[in-house]
Amino acid sequence: MQVFFSSEGKELWARVKGEVDLENADLLRRELEASLDHARPQVLLLDLEGVTFMDSSGLGVILGRYRRLKKEGGRVVICRPQPQVRRLLEISGLSKIMTIHPEGPETLGGMKDGR
């Protein structure tokens, strides 16, 4: 699993690639937390286009960042999830509390460079 970060204004874009499962969910959590601490965004844009598999450990990481940002007045937007990941987000109920956008963060106002 790999995570690539960029930020613009009050947005932090995290582009995740690979599998997000029990084996590497803690690494994803640590990397997201470090970037959130550094950037202090109001919006975390999670680009999941490159995520080929996710289990409940990955859902827990996303839910934890959602709770953190909500407490701080922010929000999480999930972008471009693969069909199998989108289905997991829907079954788990996360799609009811977070925005799922079928396109990339560059179409949402910030992050115009499309990296």
Side-chain angles (χ1 to χ4, degrees):
M1 181 207 60
Q2 297 174 305
V3 188
F4 303 92
F5 293 97
S6 45
S7 62
E8 181 177 297
K10 293 293 184 175
E11 296 177 340
L12 174 65
W13 178 18
R15 185 174 50 157
V16 184
K17 289 189 169 192
E19 296 184 356
V20 182
D21 56 17
L22 182 59
E23 186 175 321
N24 55 30
D26 193 51
L27 173 63
L28 177 60
R29 180 192 56 76
R30 287 192 314 265
E31 289 192 22
L32 286 170
E33 283 296 311
S35 290
L36 289 170
D37 289 344
H38 177 74
R40 297 280 184 217
Q42 290 179 344
V43 180
L44 171 61
L45 299 158
L46 280 175
D47 185 347
L48 303 182
E49 181 181 37
V51 175
T52 56
F53 174 81
M54 181 180 290
D55 67 9
S56 61
S57 303
L59 292 176
V61 170
I62 293 171
L63 182 60
R65 290 346 92 209
Y66 166 81
R67 288 180 177 156
R68 173 186 170 162
L69 282 168
K70 185 175 181 187
K71 188 186 306 183
E72 297 170 357
R75 64 191 178 103
V76 174
V77 176
I78 297 173
C79 302
R80 298 190 282 207
Q82 295 295 323
Q84 67 276 17
V85 174
R86 184 179 187 104
R87 179 85 174 119
L88 185 62
L89 294 166
E90 290 169 356
I91 290 170
S92 70
L94 290 185
S95 63
K96 293 180 177 154
I97 61 173
M98 293 177 219
T99 301
I100 299 180
H101 199 274
E103 297 180 35
E106 65 276 0
T107 66
L108 299 175
M111 313 310 288
K112 293 176 180 52
D113 62 8
R115 281 180 279 156

